[in-house]
Amino acid sequence: MSRRRPSVPIKLQRALGRALWPVLFLAATLMAGCSTAQIDHIPHNIGGLPEGAPARPTVQPAYPAVHDMPPARAQPLLDEEQQKRLEKDLIRVRNRNTGQSKNP
């Protein structure tokens, strides 16, 4: 009496079956990690929100208007003379703070 050897498709099915379960488990775990809907209900001691965390707002705020231009300046920009005087003052303060001043 001869023993029947399993055919290749049965071996392939078993190999895929063994390899498929860990892949499905990993995919389900990763997909569950993407969900934030239930994070409010997870206890703090196993990784949920910290105690005293503010509640989520019921109404989501509107997106900021990124294309709106800011209003015109109330004060004009510095002219050439004011800018040079400010640069000299900044250089003087820098030199004093780093010890490079000529007059102690």
Side-chain angles (χ1 to χ4, degrees), residues 75-91:
Q75 297 176 344
L77 298 175
L78 298 177
D79 60 1
E80 293 275 337
E81 181 183 329
Q82 292 172 333
Q83 188 172 359
K84 286 181 183 179
R85 184 175 50 206
L86 181 62
E87 285 178 12
K88 286 179 185 177
D89 288 343
L90 289 173
I91 291 170

Side-chain angles (χ1 to χ4, degrees), residues 15-30:
L16 285 177
R18 283 189 218 125
L20 187 63
W21 286 109
V23 171
L24 287 177
F25 179 74
L26 182 64
T29 304
L30 291 175

Side-chain angles (χ1 to χ4, degrees), residues 1-55:
M1 191 165 179
S2 69
R3 254 178 134 175
R4 291 184 62 190
R5 295 172 58 184
S7 63
V8 175
I10 292 175
K11 287 182 180 179
L12 185 61
Q13 287 176 359
R14 287 181 185 165
L16 285 177
R18 283 189 218 125
L20 187 63
W21 286 109
V23 171
L24 287 177
F25 179 74
L26 182 64
T29 304
L30 291 175
M31 291 301 288
C34 293
S35 172
T36 59
Q38 301 298 325
I39 191 117
D40 296 340
H41 305 294
I42 298 175
H44 167 66
N45 55 357
I46 61 169
L49 290 174
E51 306 236 350

